[in-house]
């Protein structure tokens, strides 16, 4: 395919015949699936499913993350016509990727949401595909981790975030984006000794045995040291990467519910994600993109690139 194919290619979200391959549809037109992948609920032959979870029951400050999946898909239309720079292989050409659409749920019955999301992700995994989730507030990561742990056992987690989400909350029925990792550790879904949080810059009294590399350490030690420590901790254990967009400094991603200054620059996040190649990544997510608070679209662009890096990481050990 080449740029001239834009003369005939349009709405590849519905019209593309193959789950693999680049797309040269006009970036400014057509149906905006993630990376112009085909929308489908049929997971036959799918290696990796990208799915949106438009849920923000409660965030610390500014709502709007329910609109994140839509904005990330739109921003991703800038990416599917070339392999991602620097990876040395073409994930879109070698991985059968589908846009599985958004999860359906009853917004008026919030208490039913956790089980519904766990089942949604579990259904993807049971079909033999991997799952990359576009959120949504950070609570969404807990049911996703539960679904992955059912298949892989206690997970290693690499969490990019300004906040630890480890604040004590022993009411396991509470749906709270700030306590989801506490519950994941307490219920044995996550192995804290083989996990790490990157970019932290808010207080936490007890990390429950989980390692962390705060934002200042990232700035001072550099990406290579961060990656070396992360790889040392996770080893060959199944890994889930959760990327809260507020891991980035508000200068790079203002569209989040919980902006905290002093965070990672986009280039730092890109370098760390890229150099994690080789870990046993089995799933991941990009959370808390809140487009109403960023009229430039920069936050959604960052979110789309994070999702693409997760796809490339997932495919790295599975590439031809």
């Amino acid at each position: 395919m080449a740029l001239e194919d834009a003369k005939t290619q349009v709405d590849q979200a519905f019209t593309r015949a193959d789950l693999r391959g680049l797309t040269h549809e006009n970036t400014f037109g057509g149906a905006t699936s993630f990376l112009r992948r085909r929308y489908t609920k049929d997971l036959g032959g799918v290696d990796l499913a990208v799915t949106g979870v438009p849920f923000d029951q409660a965030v610390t400050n500014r709502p709007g993350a329910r609109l994140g999946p839509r904005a990330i898909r739109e921003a991703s239309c800038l990416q599917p016509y070339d392999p991602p720079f620097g990876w040395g292989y073409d994930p879109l050409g070698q991985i059968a990727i589908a846009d599985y659409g958004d999860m359906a749920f009853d917004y008026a019955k919030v208490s039913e949401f956790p089980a519904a999301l766990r089942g949604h992700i579990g259904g993807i995994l049971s079909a033999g595909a991997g799952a990359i989730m576009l959120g949504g507030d950070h609570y969404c990561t807990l049911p996703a981790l539960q679904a992955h742990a059912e298949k892989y056992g206690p997970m290693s987690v690499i969490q990019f975030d300004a906040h630890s989400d480890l604040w004590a909350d022993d009411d396991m029925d509470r749906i709270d984006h700030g306590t989801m990792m506490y519950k994941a550790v307490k219920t044995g879904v996550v192995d804290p000794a083989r996990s790490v949080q990157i970019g932290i810059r808010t207080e936490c009294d007890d990390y429950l045995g989980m390692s962390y590399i705060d934002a200042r350490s990232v700035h001072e030690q550099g990406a290579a040291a961060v990656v070396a420590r992360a790889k040392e901790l996770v080893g060959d254990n199944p890994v889930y990467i959760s990327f809260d967009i507020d891991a980035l400094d508000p200068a790079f991603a203002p569209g989040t519910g919980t902006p905290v200054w002093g965070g990672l620059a986009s280039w730092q996040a890109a370098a760390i994600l890229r150099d994690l190649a080789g870990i046993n990544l089995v799933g991941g997510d990009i959370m808390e993109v809140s487009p109403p608070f960023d009229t430039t679209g920069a936050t959604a662009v960052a979110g789309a690139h994070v999702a693409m890096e997760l796809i490339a990481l997932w495919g790295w050990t599975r590439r031809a």
Side-chain angles (χ1 to χ4, degrees):
M1 291 187 290
L3 290 175
E4 66 230 25
D5 293 331
K7 293 184 297 186
T8 56
Q9 286 190 356
V10 69
D11 296 328
Q12 291 284 290
F14 302 109
T15 62
R16 66 179 301 127
D18 199 328
L19 293 171
R20 293 180 175 86
L22 302 174
T23 301
H24 291 284
E25 184 173 341
N26 286 325
T27 58
F28 49 81
T32 53
S33 63
F34 186 74
L35 296 174
R36 305 289 194 182
R37 301 302 91 187
R38 189 170 75 204
Y39 271 120
T40 182
K41 296 297 185 184
D42 179 3
L43 292 173
V46 173
D47 298 324
L48 186 63
V50 178
T51 188
V53 184
F55 176 84
D56 60 348
Q57 182 267 341
V59 292
T60 304
N61 186 23
R62 305 183 299 190
R66 67 185 61 185
L67 301 175
R70 182 179 298 174
I72 291 170
R73 284 187 174 100
E74 181 177 354
S76 77
C77 292
L78 291 166
Q79 296 174 261
Y81 48 82
D82 277 322
F85 179 78
W87 269 101
Y89 87 108
D90 178 9
L92 298 187
Q94 297 191 30
I95 306 170
I97 304 170
D99 191 323
Y100 195 57
D102 284 352
M103 173 190 158
F105 60 95
D106 187 339
Y107 69 89
K109 294 185 177 179
V110 176
S111 62
E112 296 179 358
F113 174 78
L117 177 51
R118 184 173 181 171
H120 180 76
I121 300 297
I124 294 171
L125 299 179
S126 65
I132 300 295
M133 181 170 60
L134 314 177
D137 81 36
H138 216 160
Y139 178 82
C140 299
T141 297
L142 178 57
L145 283 170
Q146 291 168 338
H148 280 82
E150 286 179 357
K151 181 171 183 176
Y152 296 104
M155 304 294 299
S156 289
V157 170
I158 300 176
Q159 178 181 343
F160 292 80
D161 211 322
H163 314 86
S164 68
D165 298 327
L166 284 166
W167 290 286
D169 179 6
D170 292 308
D171 182 349
M172 296 300 167
D173 292 328
R174 290 189 71 252
I175 299 172
D176 187 332
H177 76 121
T179 65
M180 61 86 188
M181 193 55 65
Y182 177 91
K183 292 170 182 175
V185 172
K186 284 289 188 176
T187 57
V189 172
V190 166
D191 181 352
R194 303 187 71 177
S195 299
V196 62
Q197 299 182 319
I198 299 171
I200 301 300
R201 50 195 189 277
T202 51
E203 290 296 324
C204 177
D205 292 334
D206 185 355
Y207 281 87
L208 302 182
M210 184 176 287
S211 296
Y212 72 95
I213 304 169
D214 64 22
R216 180 167 179 169
S217 296
V218 176
H219 301 322
E220 293 179 347
Q221 296 175 14
V226 173
V227 170
R229 178 59 175 153
K231 285 185 169 181
E232 177 187 18
L233 285 164
V234 304
D236 60 358
N237 206 43
V239 181
Y240 186 98
I241 291 180
S242 183
F243 196 110
D244 187 326
I245 202 65
D246 69 28
L248 301 183
D249 190 86
F252 298 90
T256 177
T258 48
V260 183
W261 77 335
L264 307 188
S266 57
W267 71 264
Q268 291 173 309
I272 294 168
L273 286 168
R274 182 65 53 88
D275 290 352
L276 285 170
I279 63 171
N280 183 19
L281 186 70
V282 297
D285 62 51
I286 169 66
M287 294 285 110
E288 301 212 4
V289 172
S290 189
F293 299 96
D294 179 8
T295 57
T296 71
T299 309
V301 169
H305 279 276
V306 168
M308 181 70 254
E309 295 298 289
L310 293 178
I311 288 171
L313 273 172
W314 187 92
W316 179 252
T317 56
R318 301 167 176 87
R319 70 195 188 282

